Amino acid sequence: MEKTSTFYSDYGIVKRIFLIAILLSFLVSLSAQQEDAKFVKRIFDQALTEGDCYEWLRHLTKDVGPRLAGSPGADAAVHSMRRLMDTLGFDTVYLQPCTVPRWDRGAPASGRIVNNAMIGTRPLAVVSLGNTIGTGPEGITAPIVEVQSLEEVEELGRPGVAGRIVFFNRPMDPTRLNTFAAYGGAVDQRGFGLIVAARYGAKAVLVRSMTTGNDDVPHTGGVALIDTVPKIPALSVSTNDANLLSSLLGNGEVRVHLQSNGRILPPVPSYNVIGEIRGTSHPEEIILVGGHLDSWDIGEGAHDDGAGVVHSLQVFPLLKQLGYRPQRTFRCVLFMNEENGLAGGRAYWEASNAAKEFHLAAIESDRGGFTPRGFSAQGREDVFTDYFSRVNEWLPILEPYGLMFTTGGSGADISGLKSQGGLLLGFIPDSQRYFDFHHTAADVFEVVNKRELELGAASITSLVYLIDKYGLR
Amino acid sequence: MEKTSTFYSDYGIVKRIFLIAILLSFLVSLSAQQEDAKFVKRIFDQALTEGDCYEWLRHLTKDVGPRLAGSPGADAAVHSMRRLMDTLGFDTVYLQPCTVPRWDRGAPASGRIVNNAMIGTRPLAVVSLGNTIGTGPEGITAPIVEVQSLEEVEELGRPGVAGRIVFFNRPMDPTRLNTFAAYGGAVDQRGFGLIVAARYGAKAVLVRSMTTGNDDVPHTGGVALIDTVPKIPALSVSTNDANLLSSLLGNGEVRVHLQSNGRILPPVPSYNVIGEIRGTSHPEEIILVGGHLDSWDIGEGAHDDGAGVVHSLQVFPLLKQLGYRPQRTFRCVLFMNEENGLAGGRAYWEASNAAKEFHLAAIESDRGGFTPRGFSAQGREDVFTDYFSRVNEWLPILEPYGLMFTTGGSGADISGLKSQGGLLLGFIPDSQRYFDFHHTAADVFEVVNKRELELGAASITSLVYLIDKYGLR
């Protein structure tokens, strides 16, 4: 009885100690969570009151302007952003060389419907697609053949395509709430339409602009080229004019004249711009935040991807202003040539993989400067599930700011880091307005909202803070 | 033994029947939920592909234009929206009379800093506040006294205030993520500043514009007046100029000249515009969706509240196009005079309360046409908790569209329906850009995004569908 009593008494003490330990660890974790919530609030407050990203964006879009890889604008952007980074308190700021394709749009393209039985001659809102050759000064006049898919071109084959202008007209699906999903469902026409059409002897390609709206703004963008098919001109046409062409085709042949002036020039050297602060206790674990510094040449690249550039630049200054020194190595990377070659991204990950670096996390911001909604995450299969549950543990801290995590693509520039076994994240802002501006002359500073931009920078900084403080394992 | 066995056997059968019943009811509810999710998807698809609200907004803002209550613009809006409602398939469309205050801004106001020791004479971006009298043609010149609150005016009293222009300069807090909360924390200065300042003999009132941004755009808005204090002129000044005035005050006296031309005119008759479709099985339960038809006179009232008007107009056509006939009575109400009197809202709820009507739910859209985030809900204390849990049961259907429910204010025009014991809801879109436009000349059609507007209409329609189908009890 005594023994039993001692046993129970010992057991009781052990149990009590155990319970107290659980309670303590719960309280510690609760208080850590409260502390983190407070720090994240300070990050947001700081971004909204003392953030610099909006003025940096004004500089990048208005003083530097368009900055297609290989152009003087891109050079100016590299040097201007390097100078800016030099003022932000990094340990090291450096340029990482890469070789970028060089493409020159030349004089603006033009297009018109020619002598149509229904409406006579009428101008079309067109723009050359990137990396494409021009039509020559006289232009091309040919009947158009409308298709909804690459497969349809294959079905038509040479008899239906040779000597014609292939008109790709499958719209982005407006019912997709995520407009990037709608983009993904249509952009194959722009990316690969030229190759398929050229293979069967098309004279040129005309692609419906990548937007859900009906408007008069043509959208440029990259096309893929391969050596085994001839290069032919490719242009995009506004959605309103695409609708017009399609409806005219219901009444008979439609002949279109296109004149464009693109030139493919020899590759030139360019650079990624990188700022780094070495981690105090885990310097071997890198946290990267990046956007791409190049832009298309017909706007100011404000949402695409000026926003991502200034988001990335803003992270370390915010942490610094709040007295937080990263334990892990933080790198801000402004990638060159995402739009028409990905040379910068490739140079970065090839160097990093060769040096056996480990990116614990890489976050790309390349979906515009709109109100934050969260992050999409991906990673190597063997580690991803653990990482994904880890970041989701932080939801109580991040949800009040409208942030959540989804699985999905992160960013083109960081995709080659996947094999390192870290977590790749893409910043997701609200996507409803993005394709009003994407790759158009309308993507200018004025269409970026200051608060929305600052909230994006704060969201990314908050996630960097949590990853830096707790790691992912 | 047999008995017991029979008992257990009976019990076993009962238990099995019970479990099957639970399973069936679970399956039925699951399949109902799947059916509802499908219908809600159809509502969104329909709004995004066949929605009319954007073109209606173009008409209201561009053809009708500004429509301050009592103005010819408001009359035109009433008749134009009535004609539009006549085409939407309602059982009944009618005008509900109300008597609205009439205020005329007159020629644009002007302001300047006069002979300042630091910067000499310099123009100020000002605008008259609504319902205020003018300064007379010569204007008023007086030193300004800066305050941060109504209390500060009380503390200064007559010695500090008499003969001066009281300059209310407490900013909206930019760190509030919900910009309406920031607005709520500052707008007392505009609403009640005149009364407090006039009581102590101020010559005029100058109020910092209600926005978190620093820009050159002055924001108008309503002020409260009471018979026991003299009417004095009140203007708002852009945030950039408010900052300038405040910084100049650090260096000594600042004298300001203000000239404004407002006139308070006798009240005139006006109308709410109402469309109704009688419920098939519960006609005595009313579901209202409304926005306010009047707007301030210096913009086009596109977000405030053209968006709410066309959201409300869109609900019934969407349901009708999808073959859904409401079981409960649906009413679309376009309220008059929300901005400077609330005469329309008051006329509506007084008539409704007198007729002992029961509004099961009333939803107001008066926070702009941005990407939907959810609904705020309020109601009579004895019923609210039940209603609130009921609507939250629909989250699995609504969350995929970014919608959630919060507790909070619904809308000024429907606030007087609370005593009926139904649920009052306010549509909540993303609030980051709203105060860039609110009550300014910049609130025009072009700053409303088509998809964001359509998503708002679809969100409200989806909630109406669920409330109509299931009730709230």
Side-chain angles (χ1 to χ4, degrees):
Chain A
M1 190 66 194
E2 249 189 81
K3 217 172 173 151
T4 313
S5 161
T6 308
F7 171 79
Y8 279 114
S9 158
D10 283 359
Y11 174 73
I13 289 166
V14 168
K15 197 170 75 172
R16 249 170 274 159
I17 291 173
F18 185 69
L19 284 175
I20 287 167
I22 285 183
L23 188 67
L24 277 177
S25 94
F26 174 75
L27 287 175
V28 166
S29 119
L30 197 70
S31 110
Q33 188 168 308
Q34 282 168 347
E35 191 190 303
D36 291 333
K38 269 188 202 158
F39 196 82
V40 164
K41 168 92 171 88
R42 288 179 65 205
I43 291 172
F44 275 85
D45 288 358
Q46 185 75 6
L48 286 165
T49 54
E50 305 289 332
D52 294 304
C53 54
Y54 188 67
E55 288 309 314
W56 293 337
L57 183 66
R58 188 196 302 272
H59 169 66
L60 183 61
T61 53
K62 295 300 182 192
D63 302 337
V64 177
R67 45 196 184 279
L68 186 63
S71 71
D75 279 352
V78 164
H79 295 295
S80 168
M81 290 301 104
R82 191 213 166 122
R83 278 193 301 274
L84 173 57
M85 263 197 207
D86 280 338
T87 69
L88 301 184
F90 289 107
D91 291 340
T92 327
V93 174
Y94 59 102
L95 302 185
Q96 181 178 49
C98 57
T99 301
V100 300
R102 172 103 173 87
W103 179 74
D104 180 53
R105 177 178 305 279
S110 65
R112 58 178 183 274
I113 298 166
V114 182
N115 289 336
N116 183 265
M118 308 290 289
I119 61 162
T121 294
R122 187 191 174 285
L124 292 169
V126 296
V127 67
S128 299
L129 291 174
N131 303 349
T132 62
I133 61 166
T135 57
E138 306 78 27
I140 287 169
T141 305
I144 60 170
V145 52
E146 178 177 349
V147 295
Q148 301 291 315
S149 67
L150 305 176
E151 294 69 32
E152 223 176 301
V153 181
E154 303 279 1
E155 282 160 24
L156 287 169
R158 187 164 284 274
V161 166
R164 292 167 184 254
I165 295 168
V166 178
F167 167 42
F168 288 92
N169 194 32
R170 185 170 87 258
M172 274 172 56
D173 179 355
T175 69
R176 301 296 296 263
L177 248 67
N178 174 353
T179 60
F180 284 90
Y183 179 63
V187 73
D188 62 316
Q189 302 172 98
R190 189 194 75 209
F192 304 107
L194 185 152
I195 294 177
V196 194
R199 185 175 287 145
Y200 295 115
K203 278 189 147 176
V205 163
L206 192 59
V207 183
R208 179 188 183 90
S209 281
M210 294 294 140
T211 177
T212 54
N214 289 326
D215 61 37
D216 298 318
V217 182
H219 293 229
T220 190
V223 305
L225 300 172
I226 50 174
D227 289 338
T228 52
V229 298
K231 292 182 174 53
I232 58 173
L235 296 87
S236 93
V237 60
S238 75
T239 47
N240 275 344
D241 281 346
N243 294 342
L244 173 66
L245 288 173
S246 186
S247 90
L248 289 175
L249 280 168
N251 298 298
E253 186 179 84
V254 177
R255 292 175 68 79
V256 160
H257 176 81
L258 298 174
Q259 201 281 324
S260 66
N261 306 292
R263 286 185 310 153
I264 301 169
L265 301 168
V268 292
S270 188
Y271 305 93
N272 298 324
V273 186
I274 304 179
E276 178 176 309
I277 182 99
R278 195 174 155 79
T280 51
S281 56
H282 302 288
E284 72 292 353
E285 297 193 350
I286 299 163
I287 300 175
L288 176 156
V289 176
H292 66 84
L293 187 51
D294 63 309
S295 78
W296 281 106
D297 53 333
I298 55 174
E300 296 171 358
H303 277 295
D304 186 14
D305 184 26
V309 165
V310 301
H311 279 158
S312 305
L313 288 167
Q314 184 71 84
V315 173
F316 179 60
L318 282 179
L319 293 175
K320 197 163 180 281
Q321 287 154 24
L322 299 174
Y324 185 85
R325 165 91 204 205
Q327 302 174 38
R328 293 169 166 82
T329 294
F330 175 78
R331 238 179 240 169
C332 167
V333 184
L334 310 184
F335 295 99
M336 182 49 65
N337 186 223
E338 190 271 350
E339 292 294 6
N340 63 333
L342 211 60
R346 199 171 291 118
Y348 182 83
W349 75 60
E350 281 174 3
S352 176
N353 291 340
K356 301 207 182 307
E357 285 185 345
F358 174 56
H359 283 74
L360 175 67
I363 308 174
E364 183 154 3
S365 168
D366 186 18
R367 299 180 179 205
F370 307 95
T371 299
R373 310 303 287 252
F375 299 89
S376 62
Q378 60 179 170
R380 224 174 50 195
E381 221 170 274
D382 56 325
V383 289
F384 180 68
T385 314
D386 281 352
Y387 288 157
F388 195 65
S389 7
R390 188 75 182 102
V391 294
N392 273 289
E393 283 171 24
W394 299 324
L395 277 185
I397 298 164
L398 298 174
E399 263 185 337
Y401 301 91
L403 303 172
M404 44 188 286
F405 295 94
T406 57
T407 57
S410 52
D413 293 301
I414 58 175
S415 54
L417 298 170
K418 191 173 169 185
S419 58
Q420 294 186 9
L423 184 63
L424 306 185
L425 296 137
F427 170 62
I428 304 182
D430 191 282
S431 74
Q432 300 310 320
R433 281 134 67 209
Y434 190 68
F435 290 94
D436 291 2
F437 313 121
H438 182 243
H439 295 185
T440 74
D443 187 11
V444 295
F445 178 68
E446 290 76 5
V447 299
V448 179
N449 176 274
K450 182 169 181 281
R451 284 180 66 84
E452 295 186 348
L453 184 74
E454 289 165 349
L455 290 173
S459 300
I460 297 167
T461 307
S462 299
L463 183 56
V464 167
Y465 160 75
L466 291 167
I467 296 174
D468 183 71
K469 187 166 170 193
Y470 295 108
L472 287 170
R473 284 171 291 196
Chain B
M1 189 68 194
E2 248 191 85
K3 217 171 173 154
T4 313
S5 159
T6 308
F7 172 79
Y8 278 116
S9 155
D10 282 358
Y11 176 71
I13 288 167
V14 167
K15 197 169 76 174
R16 249 171 274 160
I17 290 172
F18 186 66
L19 285 176
I20 288 168
I22 285 183
L23 187 67
L24 277 178
S25 95
F26 173 74
L27 287 175
V28 165
S29 120
L30 197 70
S31 109
Q33 189 167 308
Q34 282 168 347
E35 191 190 303
D36 291 333
K38 270 189 203 159
F39 196 81
V40 164
K41 169 92 171 88
R42 289 179 64 205
I43 291 172
F44 275 85
D45 288 358
Q46 185 75 6
L48 286 165
T49 53
E50 305 288 333
D52 295 304
C53 55
Y54 188 66
E55 289 308 315
W56 293 337
L57 183 66
R58 188 196 302 273
H59 168 66
L60 183 62
T61 53
K62 294 301 182 191
D63 302 337
V64 176
R67 46 196 182 280
L68 186 63
S71 72
D75 278 352
V78 165
H79 295 295
S80 168
M81 290 300 104
R82 192 215 164 120
R83 276 193 301 274
L84 173 57
M85 263 197 207
D86 280 337
T87 68
L88 301 184
F90 289 106
D91 290 340
T92 326
V93 174
Y94 60 101
L95 303 184
Q96 181 177 49
C98 57
T99 300
V100 300
R102 171 106 174 85
W103 179 72
D104 181 52
R105 178 178 304 279
S110 66
R112 59 178 182 272
I113 298 166
V114 182
N115 289 334
N116 183 264
M118 308 291 287
I119 61 162
T121 293
R122 186 189 175 287
L124 292 169
V126 295
V127 67
S128 300
L129 291 174
N131 303 350
T132 61
I133 61 166
T135 57
E138 306 78 26
I140 288 169
T141 306
I144 60 170
V145 52
E146 177 178 348
V147 295
Q148 302 291 315
S149 66
L150 304 177
E151 294 69 33
E152 224 176 299
V153 182
E154 303 278 1
E155 282 159 23
L156 287 170
R158 186 163 285 271
V161 167
R164 290 167 186 254
I165 295 168
V166 178
F167 167 41
F168 288 92
N169 195 32
R170 186 170 88 258
M172 273 172 57
D173 179 355
T175 70
R176 301 296 297 261
L177 249 67
N178 174 354
T179 61
F180 284 91
Y183 178 64
V187 73
D188 62 318
Q189 302 172 97
R190 189 195 74 209
F192 304 107
L194 185 153
I195 293 176
V196 192
R199 184 175 288 145
Y200 296 115
K203 277 191 148 175
V205 163
L206 192 59
V207 183
R208 181 189 182 88
S209 281
M210 294 295 140
T211 177
T212 52
N214 289 325
D215 61 36
D216 299 318
V217 182
H219 293 228
T220 191
V223 305
L225 299 172
I226 50 175
D227 289 338
T228 52
V229 300
K231 292 182 175 52
I232 59 174
L235 297 87
S236 94
V237 59
S238 75
T239 47
N240 275 344
D241 281 346
N243 294 342
L244 173 65
L245 288 172
S246 185
S247 92
L248 290 174
L249 280 168
N251 299 298
E253 186 179 84
V254 177
R255 292 176 67 79
V256 160
H257 176 81
L258 298 174
Q259 201 280 324
S260 67
N261 305 292
R263 286 185 309 153
I264 301 168
L265 302 169
V268 292
S270 188
Y271 305 93
N272 298 324
V273 186
I274 304 179
E276 178 177 309
I277 181 101
R278 194 175 156 80
T280 50
S281 56
H282 302 287
E284 72 292 355
E285 296 193 350
I286 299 163
I287 301 174
L288 176 156
V289 176
H292 65 83
L293 187 50
D294 64 308
S295 79
W296 281 104
D297 53 333
I298 56 174
E300 296 171 358
H303 278 294
D304 187 13
D305 186 26
V309 166
V310 301
H311 279 159
S312 306
L313 288 167
Q314 184 73 83
V315 173
F316 180 60
L318 282 179
L319 294 175
K320 197 163 179 281
Q321 286 154 24
L322 298 175
Y324 185 84
R325 165 91 203 204
Q327 301 174 38
R328 293 168 167 83
T329 294
F330 175 80
R331 236 179 242 171
C332 168
V333 184
L334 310 183
F335 294 98
M336 180 51 65
N337 186 223
E338 191 272 350
E339 292 294 4
N340 63 333
L342 211 60
R346 199 170 291 117
Y348 182 84
W349 74 60
E350 282 174 3
S352 175
N353 292 340
K356 303 205 182 307
E357 286 185 344
F358 174 57
H359 283 73
L360 175 67
I363 308 174
E364 182 153 5
S365 168
D366 186 19
R367 297 179 180 208
F370 308 95
T371 299
R373 310 304 285 253
F375 299 89
S376 62
Q378 61 179 169
R380 223 173 50 195
E381 222 169 275
D382 57 325
V383 289
F384 180 68
T385 314
D386 281 351
Y387 287 157
F388 195 65
S389 7
R390 188 75 183 102
V391 294
N392 274 288
E393 284 171 23
W394 298 325
L395 278 186
I397 299 164
L398 298 174
E399 264 185 337
Y401 302 91
L403 303 173
M404 44 189 286
F405 295 95
T406 57
T407 57
S410 52
D413 293 300
I414 58 174
S415 54
L417 297 171
K418 191 172 170 186
S419 58
Q420 293 186 8
L423 185 63
L424 306 185
L425 296 138
F427 169 63
I428 304 183
D430 191 282
S431 74
Q432 300 309 320
R433 280 133 67 209
Y434 190 69
F435 290 93
D436 291 1
F437 313 120
H438 182 242
H439 295 186
T440 75
D443 187 11
V444 295
F445 178 68
E446 289 77 4
V447 298
V448 178
N449 176 274
K450 182 170 181 280
R451 285 179 65 84
E452 295 185 350
L453 184 74
E454 289 165 348
L455 290 173
S459 300
I460 298 167
T461 307
S462 299
L463 183 57
V464 167
Y465 160 75
L466 291 166
I467 297 174
D468 182 72
K469 186 166 170 193
Y470 296 107
L472 287 169
R473 284 173 289 198

